[in-house]
Amino acid sequence: MKPSIPEPRVLPAGRGLGWVSVALMLLRAQPLRMLLLGLVLQLLAGLMQLGPLGVLFVLSVPALSAGMMLAWHTVASGSIPQLSMLFRAFTQPDRLLRLVLLGALVLGVAMVSVMFSLSGLIAGLDAQTLQELEQGQIERLFLEHPEELQRSLLAMMLALAVSGTISYFAVPLIWFMDLRLWRAVLIGLRGLLLNWRAFLLMGVMLALLALPVVIMYTLVSTLNATGSPLAALGGTLMMFLVALYQLVVLATQYVAFAEVFGLASDNSSGGIDNDRDGQLVA
C-alpha cells in the first residue's frame, strides 16, 4: 500500500539555517562514503560536454538525484550508504520513467526560458552578424556587445532557477512517496511557496558556503592563465571542493524535504525521526 501523502508543513523561517546545519552534520557522519558518491556524480556530469551523451545525462539527473536522496536517507537512519545507491532508480522502471520525464520537462523549460530571454537579442542583429553566429563565431558577438554576454548569463541563471524550482521537491516526492509526475511537481511547488522565508535564508547560507568555491575557481583560473605548474594541483583541489559543496546542497535538499513533508521513521523508505515541531533529528 502506498504511504499517505501529508500536506506540506509550514515551518519557521529559521529552519532554513537549521537545514544547512543538519546537512553538515550528515556529511560529517559519512564524509568518505558520500565524497565517493559526489565524485562519481561529478565525473558523470562531464558527459555534458559530449554532445548527445550530454542530453542523456541531463535527462538522467533526476534519477541520479533520487539516488543521492536515498544515500542521505541512509546516512540519516544511521546506516552506511553504498555506491550502488546512486543508480538505484535505474532498477525501478516505473519510478525511472517518471524521473526521466521530469528531466525532459526541466530541460524543455530551461530551453524555453533561454530562448525567450534571448529572442530580442537575435531579432535585433544584422544579417552579417547572424551569418557569423551560424558559423559558430559567438565570441565576436560578445566581444562587440559585452552587455549581451551579461544578458545571456542572466538568461541561463533564470533557466537554472526555474528548472531547479520545478524538480526540487518533485524528485524526492516521486522517489520516497511514489507520486505521479504532475502531482509531485504541483505539491512540490506548493511546499516551496509555503516555506519561501525558510528557503530564502537557506539560499543565503548556501551562497556564503559557496565563497570558498568561487575563490578557488578564481585561483585555478589565474594559475591556468599564467601556465603555473601548480595548475594541475589546483584543479584537483577544485574538483574535491566542488564535490563537497554539491554534497552539502543535496543534503540540504534532503533535510528540507524530510521536514516539510514529514518523512518519518515509520515511512517505508527508512528511518528518519521527527520531533514534535517537525525538525529533523540527526
Side-chain angles (χ1 to χ4, degrees):
M1 185 177 66
K2 293 183 180 180
S4 60
I5 309 302
E7 284 291 310
R9 303 173 179 180
V10 181
L11 301 175
R15 287 310 301 153
L17 300 180
W19 296 337
V20 180
S21 176
V22 175
L24 293 172
M25 292 172 58
L26 292 178
L27 181 58
R28 287 197 296 268
Q30 289 289 341
L32 296 181
R33 288 275 185 162
M34 293 309 300
L35 180 59
L36 174 60
L37 269 71
L39 289 173
V40 171
L41 185 60
Q42 200 171 34
L43 290 174
L44 291 174
L47 296 175
M48 292 183 66
Q49 304 176 8
L50 301 179
L53 289 179
V55 177
L56 291 177
F57 174 77
V58 172
L59 293 177
S60 67
V61 164
L64 294 169
S65 298
M68 292 300 296
M69 295 295 103
L70 175 61
W72 283 121
H73 188 67
T74 303
V75 174
S77 68
S79 301
I80 300 175
Q82 305 297 322
L83 179 60
S84 60
M85 290 180 176
L86 182 61
F87 308 100
R88 185 68 57 83
F90 294 91
T91 67
Q92 300 192 18
D94 184 45
R95 281 185 172 90
L96 177 60
L97 176 60
R98 280 173 274 161
L99 291 168
V100 170
L101 289 175
L102 177 60
L105 174 64
V106 167
L107 178 60
V109 170
M111 293 177 63
V112 170
S113 299
V114 171
M115 291 174 63
F116 179 77
S117 300
L118 298 180
S119 58
L121 166 63
I122 301 299
L125 297 178
D126 56 56
Q128 181 179 355
T129 304
L130 286 173
Q131 183 178 3
E132 292 173 350
L133 287 177
E134 292 175 355
Q135 297 172 354
Q137 300 179 21
I138 192 171
E139 295 85 357
R140 182 173 178 271
L141 170 65
F142 290 145
L143 286 175
E144 295 181 355
H145 305 277
E147 70 280 1
E148 302 303 345
L149 175 59
Q150 297 177 3
R151 182 175 175 178
S152 299
L153 292 175
L154 288 175
M156 287 186 285
M157 291 176 62
L158 174 64
L160 288 173
V162 172
S163 58
T165 300
I166 291 173
S167 63
Y168 194 82
F169 278 153
V171 168
L173 282 170
I174 291 172
W175 179 252
F176 290 112
M177 298 185 174
D178 200 21
L179 292 190
R180 300 292 100 184
L181 174 59
W182 288 109
R183 189 177 184 188
V185 170
L186 294 176
I187 293 178
L189 290 175
R190 185 164 184 264
L192 287 169
L193 290 174
L194 289 175
N195 293 279
W196 68 269
R197 294 179 180 84
F199 281 102
L200 180 62
L201 285 178
M202 182 197 77
V204 171
M205 189 63 182
L206 290 176
L208 291 175
L209 291 177
L211 288 178
V213 179
V214 175
I215 293 173
M216 177 60 72
Y217 177 80
T218 303
L219 177 60
V220 170
S221 298
T222 302
L223 292 175
N224 285 326
T226 58
S228 172
L230 297 176
L233 176 61
T236 302
L237 293 175
M238 179 70 186
M239 180 178 67
F240 279 93
L241 192 59
V242 169
L244 286 172
Y245 180 73
Q246 186 178 42
L247 287 172
V248 173
V249 172
L250 290 170
T252 305
Q253 178 184 356
Y254 165 76
V255 174
F257 169 76
E259 290 196 4
V260 171
F261 289 94
L263 191 62
S265 57
D266 60 350
N267 187 280
S268 60
S269 300
I272 292 185
D273 294 322
N274 293 276
D275 64 12
R276 288 179 299 177
D277 295 324
Q279 298 178 7
L280 188 68
V281 178

